[in-house]
Amino acid sequence: MTEQTHKAGFVNIIGKPNVGKSTLMNVLIGERLSIISSKAQTTRHRIMGIINDDNYQIVFSDTPGMLKPKYELHKNMMSFVHMSLEDADVILFVTDLFETDEEIEDVIEKINQSGVPVLLVINKIDLSKEGQLDAVTVYWTQRIKAETIIPISATESFNTERILQEILDRLPSHPPFYDKEELTDKPERFFASEIIREKIFLNYKKEIPYSTEVAIEDFYEEEKIIRIRAIIYVERSSQKGIIIGEGGKALKRIGIQSREEMEKFFGKKIFLETYVKVEEDWRKNKNKLKKFGYDQ
Ligand SMILES: Nc1nc2c(ncn2[C@@H]2O[C@H](COP(=O)(O)OP(=O)(O)OP(=O)(O)O)[C@@H](O)[C@H]2O)c(=O)[nH]1
Ligand SMILES: [Mg+2]
């Protein structure tokens, strides 16, 4: 038998907010790396998730949903999207049964010009009504130059194996880019902050999740326990009151839910302390954004 060549490459997941990009990446890699919520603009960074096999290494990147920037924060989020257009071997363009190309025509143009093979993934087909998938397929094939169209349901893991096969067919021969033990490029404390951010997205309404950022001040790993001190930053003191809630109840709930999720994620006992601070208008301020790790 001839020796198989090793394949490796970057597969970048892009699309509008809320179409299910993070849900899909987690299903493909089999780990809950990216946070998920029913609200748009949940993901704010480029997050790598790696699949390692003897014969291949696929480096996925989950990215923030594509949008027209309204805040300085959005510009940073979109720069992660543009960066991931540049180093992709394969683009997974994810949409669902409901999204249109409104506001993202220029990025689609850039993808069409890029020469990178595009797999068009139509998600949430578990919600499909008669004829809807056909109509959506026609709509998107007129807009994006895709090599193939893959209808899926990420939440039901339906047809996601086909995505892997289509990727492997297009992955270049290359030695691995990362150690075969690696699962992501982000440090552990990043995931601790994301887990808290997810619980905030799930528990608060309107502007609160969008006005919030989480910073991990301390992350001490001991043999049997990880001790974490997190600061939840909001933009105004009125929001601080909402996050804490009556008698501290709301913040306590966030603490409990986050700790439980972290214990699953890190596989260790967690001691978590959370504090709330005001960092006025951090979403509009370049220096404050830099401090929070948006330094593109
Ligand atoms: N019915 C259905 N819902 C889905 C499916 N995939 C994702 N969702 C839901 O869609 C919502 C958004 O999912 P996310 O994975 O956070 O979407 P995203 O594209 O990463 O969103 P941003 O990070 O905001 O850009 C969540 O409520 C998911 O549970 C699916 O296949 N079917
Ligand atoms: Mg996301």
Side-chain angles (χ1 to χ4, degrees):
M1 218 164 83
T2 55
E3 203 182 312
Q4 253 187 310
T5 54
H6 189 277
K7 290 179 157 197
F10 291 84
V11 177
N12 299 341
I13 306 175
I14 59 174
K16 287 184 89 169
N18 213 39
V19 295
K21 298 178 295 301
S22 300
T23 308
L24 175 61
M25 183 169 89
N26 290 349
V27 167
L28 289 171
I29 61 174
E31 294 280 341
R32 211 171 178 287
L33 276 191
S34 275
I35 62 167
I36 295 165
S37 89
S38 59
K39 299 185 178 74
Q41 301 168 37
T42 304
T43 307
R44 290 183 187 159
H45 294 266
R46 175 180 181 167
I47 301 162
M48 285 186 187
I50 306 173
I51 300 184
N52 292 301
D53 185 272
D54 286 346
N55 302 318
Y56 62 83
Q57 179 174 69
I58 307 175
V59 186
F60 288 100
S61 289
D62 183 18
T63 63
M66 300 190 287
L67 46 82
K68 264 221 166 81
K70 292 197 191 84
Y71 294 98
E72 199 60 34
L73 170 66
H74 293 161
K75 286 190 199 159
N76 283 273
M77 285 161 61
M78 280 306 283
S79 77
F80 292 127
V81 177
H82 285 283
M83 254 166 32
S84 62
L85 288 179
E86 272 147 37
D87 62 17
D89 292 299
V90 175
I91 290 173
L92 282 192
F93 183 88
V94 183
T95 186
D96 61 16
L97 294 169
F98 318 102
E99 270 308 331
T100 68
D101 67 347
E102 201 184 335
E103 291 199 350
I104 58 163
E105 296 93 339
D106 55 331
V107 194
I108 291 183
E109 183 60 28
K110 198 170 162 184
I111 296 168
N112 286 339
Q113 302 292 330
S114 71
V116 180
V118 176
L119 309 180
L120 173 60
V121 176
I122 301 175
N123 190 26
K124 306 193 188 179
I125 62 162
D126 51 291
L127 302 175
S128 182
K129 298 202 181 71
E130 175 114 37
Q132 198 179 2
L133 179 60
D134 289 341
V136 170
T137 304
V138 169
Y139 176 89
W140 281 103
T141 44
Q142 285 168 353
R143 282 164 174 79
I144 197 150
K145 272 199 272 176
E147 296 207 348
T148 187
I149 300 150
I150 314 172
I152 66 154
S153 167
T155 46
E156 296 184 6
S157 298
F158 173 77
N159 220 16
T160 49
E161 279 296 316
R162 193 179 141 209
I163 299 182
L164 277 188
Q165 197 48 57
E166 297 283 356
I167 291 168
L168 287 174
D169 290 348
R170 290 167 178 82
L171 212 61
S173 292
H174 199 281
F177 290 94
Y178 296 90
D179 194 290
K180 283 278 178 107
E181 303 293 305
E182 305 254 335
L183 185 65
T184 181
D185 63 326
K186 290 265 187 277
E188 289 185 314
R189 59 168 69 206
F190 172 78
F191 295 101
S193 69
E194 286 289 274
I195 287 169
I196 298 172
R197 223 162 53 70
E198 180 182 70
K199 300 313 169 200
I200 291 168
F201 262 82
L202 298 176
N203 281 282
Y204 298 93
K205 294 194 203 106
K206 297 188 182 151
E207 272 305 282
I208 297 287
Y210 299 106
S211 303
T212 302
E213 184 58 51
V214 178
I216 303 297
E217 297 279 296
D218 287 317
F219 189 101
Y220 284 127
E221 185 154 8
E222 296 170 13
E223 200 189 328
K224 295 218 169 89
I225 194 166
I226 307 175
R227 295 176 195 279
I228 298 170
R229 202 160 63 93
I231 315 278
I232 298 170
Y233 287 99
V234 288
E235 291 192 302
R236 268 171 267 297
S237 54
S238 58
Q239 296 170 336
K240 182 173 170 175
I242 295 171
I243 291 275
I244 294 171
E246 225 188 294
K249 266 194 201 150
L251 183 60
K252 196 168 174 199
R253 185 163 62 228
I254 295 296
I256 291 169
Q257 291 179 3
S258 303
R259 180 174 49 73
E260 286 172 356
E261 183 86 34
M262 287 178 192
E263 288 183 342
K264 273 190 257 162
F265 186 83
F266 293 113
K268 263 195 183 180
K269 244 187 118 45
I270 302 286
F271 177 75
L272 174 66
E273 283 178 286
T274 50
Y275 300 87
V276 187
K277 284 188 184 170
V278 179
E279 187 68 77
E280 261 178 48
D281 291 329
W282 65 266
R283 279 189 290 176
K284 297 179 185 148
N285 184 307
K286 279 192 182 155
N287 289 330
K288 291 181 181 179
L289 284 165
K290 202 167 177 172
K291 180 178 130 184
F292 290 143
Y294 300 96
D295 44 6
Q296 297 312 310

